[in-house]
């Protein structure tokens, strides 16, 4: 933001000398012109920062298109319309509930360290702290967390359950976590204006823990309580169900990659901030560096997954590579602004290993997550939180979180273990909070028979039984090949279940 200029007519008049007819009036005129120029610079600075934040919000929202395509490609053709609709509803229901409650719980200030308590339904908005662009940006983050959970419970979940969990997650569960780690009042926030946890707070810049772990752990509980899809594992315990469209998976992945440039660099929320006035180096440089670290982590994870899966399975699998890429992005999200580019390569490499290991563990436990969302976002997100505590650079930490000299930074960079201690606590409290809220919710829905669809509906496909027809139009006599499995169009009958 531009620094306000100071101009006093009395001070300026003394420099006009004895020959000036009306030195005070002349000085007042000059000062008024300088003040007008200063106001224009201030207005421009607000406009530039708001435009940057709005553009970032649009990029993050575009990730919903990526989620929709990724989800659709990862499920069977007979459930395409269902998963597409749930992605639309994540955004729609999330928008209303984040407007009514979520933003206030997350950022309503002044508040206590646990939860916000102002600006419900954007009352008394905008404020000196937040404008509408900030609300839109944070809403896009909230529905991203809900979208992660949708993938975990795909192909077997009742429509009403999606509405209930999505509203609860975006309206309460996620906002409380974001308040803890992002609000200036949050008890573990690195931006806290009072006492900082271990003198550092938690540096979760764009949300490896706040967004990805929350969505991943919520999905973990949903998928665990529902159980695997019918036919998910054969008698030997091997996974036998596959998504119907690798093309949609790849297109969705590229869309998510594009949107991540709003997710991570956009989390600065403003671009017109000079670290050294008049220098080529400023916050715009940090934003560019954040985009680079994001890119390198994803690329490294993709290549590591490619060769790792080749060694393990003997195949070059494009969907595995896409998931590896996204795992790298989920991991770098926490530390993207405070690490060197070379460290991002380390982050991506380990993220791929974590993802492969989590998938192996899930397969042995017969845990069914069609999009590997819990493993990808939960496992890689947790690694990203630890990674930041190990590799955060002192210079970058002080630039991104100014105002507290001597703040702890990465353990491997010579900053001691306080940041690591804070980040371990973050992992524990996020896992505990989401488990304590979303776990019981899914359990209650299960007991009320509102969670999982009937076996008959699941076998026929929800597009037919719940949504009136298939997503893809083809003739009655045509067979559709999907990974070697023949699918034939099924017409509804009078006995077809029609419950919600």
């Amino acid at each position: 933001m531009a620094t306000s200029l100071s101009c006093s007519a009395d001070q300026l008049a003394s420099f006009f000398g004895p020959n000036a007819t009306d030195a005070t009036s002349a000085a007042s005129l000059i000062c008024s012109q300088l003040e007008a120029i200063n106001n224009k610079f201030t207005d421009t600075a607000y406009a530039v920062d708001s435009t940057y934040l709005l553009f970032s919000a649009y990029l993050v929202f575009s990730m919903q298109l990526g989620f929709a395509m990724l989800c659709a490609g990862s499920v069977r053709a007979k459930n395409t319309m269902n998963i597409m609709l749930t992605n639309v509803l994540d955004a729609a229901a999330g928008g209303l509930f984040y407007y009514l409650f979520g933003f206030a719980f997350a950022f309503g200030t002044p508040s206590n360290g646990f939860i916000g308590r102002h600006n419900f339904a954007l009352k008394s908005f905008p404020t000196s702290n937040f404008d509408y662009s900030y609300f839109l940006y944070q809403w896009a983050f909230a529905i991203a967390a809900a979208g992660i959970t949708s993938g975990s419970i795909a192909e077997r979940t009742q429509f009403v359950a999606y509405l209930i969990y999505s509203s609860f997650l975006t309206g309460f569960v996620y906002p409380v976590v974001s308040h803890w780690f992002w609000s200036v009042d949050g008890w573990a926030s690195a931006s806290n204006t009072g006492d900082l946890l271990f003198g550092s707070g938690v540096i979760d810049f764009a949300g490896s823990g706040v967004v990805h772990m929350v969505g991943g752990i919520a999905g973990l509980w949903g998928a665990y309580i529902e159980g695997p899809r019918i036919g998910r594992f054969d008698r030997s315990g091997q996974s036998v169900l596959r998504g119907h469209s690798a093309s949609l998976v790849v297109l969705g992945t590229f869309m998510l990659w594009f949107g991540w440039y709003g997710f991570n660099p956009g989390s600065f929320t403003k671009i017109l901030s000079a670290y050294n006035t008049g220098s080529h180096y400023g916050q715009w440089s940090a934003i560019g560096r954040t985009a680079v670290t994001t890119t390198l982590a994803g690329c490294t994870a993709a290549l590591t997954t490619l060769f790792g899966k080749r060694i393990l399975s003997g195949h070059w699998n494009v969907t595995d590579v896409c998931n590896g890429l996204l795992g790298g992005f989920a991991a770098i999200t926490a530390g993207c602004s405070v690490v060197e580019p070379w460290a991002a390569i380390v982050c991506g490499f380990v993220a791929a290993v974590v993802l492969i290991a989590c998938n192996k563990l899930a397969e042995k436990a017969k845990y069914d997550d069609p999009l590997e969302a819990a493993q990808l976002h939960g496992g890689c997100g947790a690694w990203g939180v630890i990674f930041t505590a190990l590799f955060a650079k002192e210079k970058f930490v002080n630039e991104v979180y100014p105002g507290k000299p001597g703040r702890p930074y990465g353990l491997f960079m010579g900053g001691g273990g306080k940041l690591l201690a804070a980040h371990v606590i973050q992992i524990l409290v996020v896992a505990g909070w989401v488990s304590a809220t979303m776990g019981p919710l899914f359990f209650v829905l299960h007991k009320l028979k509102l969670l999982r669809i009937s076996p008959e509906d699941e076998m026929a496909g929800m597009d037919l039984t719940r949504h009136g027809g298939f997503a893809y139009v083809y003739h009655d006599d045509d067979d559709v090949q999907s990974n070697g499995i023949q699918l034939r169009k099924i017409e509804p009958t009078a006995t077809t279940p029609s419950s919600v």
Side-chain angles (χ1 to χ4, degrees):
M1 197 59 62
T3 303
S4 298
L5 300 175
S6 177
C7 181
S8 169
D10 292 336
Q11 290 177 339
L12 194 58
S14 63
F15 293 97
F16 280 89
N19 296 326
T21 55
D22 192 347
T24 301
S25 296
S28 296
L29 176 63
I30 294 173
C31 283
S32 66
Q33 295 301 311
L34 289 174
E35 184 177 0
I37 294 172
N38 177 67
N39 288 339
K40 286 294 183 182
F41 277 121
T42 301
D43 295 342
T44 300
Y46 275 116
V48 168
D49 286 336
S50 293
T51 300
Y52 174 74
L53 185 56
L54 282 171
F55 179 69
S56 297
Y58 305 151
L59 283 176
V60 176
F61 179 71
S62 73
M63 296 176 79
Q64 293 304 306
L65 175 58
F67 277 127
M69 289 192 290
L70 182 69
C71 288
S74 299
V75 301
R76 289 164 291 178
K78 61 184 180 181
N79 294 310
T80 303
M81 285 180 62
N82 174 263
I83 197 66
M84 284 289 195
L85 182 57
T86 60
N87 275 271
V88 174
L89 289 175
D90 282 337
L96 286 177
F97 279 86
Y98 198 74
Y99 160 75
L100 292 172
F101 311 108
F103 186 85
F105 288 149
F107 297 103
T109 188
S111 67
N112 56 50
F114 178 77
I115 194 169
R117 56 173 186 260
H118 296 284
N119 306 122
F120 290 97
L122 298 187
K123 184 179 179 180
S124 303
F125 217 76
T127 70
S128 58
N129 296 316
F130 307 120
D131 207 337
Y132 291 104
S133 55
Y134 190 79
F135 164 81
L136 192 74
Y137 187 69
Q138 293 299 335
W139 159 72
F141 268 63
I143 62 175
I148 291 168
T149 306
S150 294
S152 295
I153 57 178
E155 295 204 276
R156 60 210 192 270
T157 304
Q158 293 194 46
F159 189 65
V160 66
Y162 278 112
L163 287 173
I164 294 172
Y165 97 78
S166 181
S167 301
F168 185 57
L169 184 65
T170 55
F172 180 66
V173 178
Y174 165 80
V176 170
V177 176
S178 57
H179 179 81
W180 292 349
F181 302 109
W182 285 347
S183 171
V184 294
D185 300 313
W187 64 271
S189 172
S191 302
N192 191 301
T193 54
D195 293 331
L196 292 169
L197 179 65
F198 295 123
S200 66
V202 170
I203 299 178
D204 189 2
F205 184 71
S208 288
V210 174
V211 179
H212 296 285
M213 281 190 64
V214 167
I217 294 171
L220 173 68
W221 281 107
Y224 174 75
I225 291 172
E226 280 194 298
R229 291 165 290 172
I230 297 173
R232 175 67 169 92
F233 300 100
D234 61 18
R235 292 182 178 180
S236 65
Q238 296 297 311
S239 172
V240 294
L241 296 183
R242 294 289 185 273
H244 82 279
S245 176
S247 298
L248 281 175
V249 170
V250 172
L251 289 173
T253 299
F254 272 115
M255 196 69 224
L256 288 168
W257 188 339
F258 178 65
W260 233 291
Y261 291 126
F263 204 93
N264 286 5
S267 291
F268 280 90
T269 71
K270 59 179 63 177
I271 192 170
L272 193 56
S273 297
Y275 295 149
N276 297 295
T277 302
S279 170
H280 68 279
Y281 182 74
Q283 189 144 293
W284 47 88
S285 304
I287 289 171
R289 182 184 67 245
T290 299
V292 170
T293 57
T294 300
T295 303
L296 291 175
C299 293
T300 304
L303 292 175
T304 304
T305 305
L306 174 68
F307 290 103
K309 294 295 288 187
R310 168 67 176 176
I311 294 170
L312 293 173
S313 68
H315 301 290
W316 304 104
N317 192 312
V318 66
T319 56
D320 287 337
V321 172
C322 288
N323 282 338
L325 178 83
L326 297 177
F329 287 152
I332 195 61
T333 295
C336 54
S337 65
V338 294
V339 300
E340 292 274 16
W342 64 262
I345 295 175
V346 176
C347 177
F349 177 82
V350 177
V353 175
V354 169
L355 179 60
I356 292 172
C358 286
N359 283 333
K360 282 292 184 183
L361 181 62
E363 188 172 323
K364 287 185 178 296
K366 289 185 170 54
Y367 169 79
D368 182 15
D369 185 329
L371 274 88
E372 302 176 6
Q375 303 94 296
L376 192 161
H377 297 278
C380 294
W383 155 242
V385 171
I386 296 297
F387 161 79
T388 305
L390 300 178
F391 289 94
K393 185 176 180 179
E394 181 181 16
K395 175 185 176 182
F396 298 157
V397 169
N398 289 329
E399 289 172 350
V400 177
Y401 300 95
K404 184 176 174 54
R407 183 192 294 265
Y409 51 99
L411 175 64
F412 291 170
M413 308 300 287
K418 290 185 176 180
L419 184 60
L420 178 60
H423 283 212
V424 170
I425 288 177
Q426 182 194 17
I427 292 173
L428 295 176
V429 297
V430 168
W433 170 253
V434 178
S435 297
T437 51
M438 297 301 295
L441 174 65
F442 283 121
F443 182 76
V444 170
L445 290 174
H446 174 67
K447 287 298 183 181
L448 295 175
K449 300 188 183 304
L450 295 175
L451 185 59
R452 184 157 183 161
I453 60 175
S454 68
E456 294 79 12
D457 283 8
E458 187 174 342
M459 293 299 292
M462 285 187 285
D463 286 2
L464 173 65
T465 61
R466 304 302 175 97
H467 306 292
F470 290 101
Y472 302 104
V473 177
Y474 53 92
H475 298 295
D476 291 347
D477 295 331
D478 290 343
D479 289 335
V480 178
Q481 293 287 341
S482 178
N483 295 312
I485 301 174
Q486 289 189 331
L487 301 176
R488 187 183 296 276
K489 184 176 180 181
I490 305 172
E491 295 295 341
T493 65
T495 59
T496 299
S498 58
S499 60
V500 174

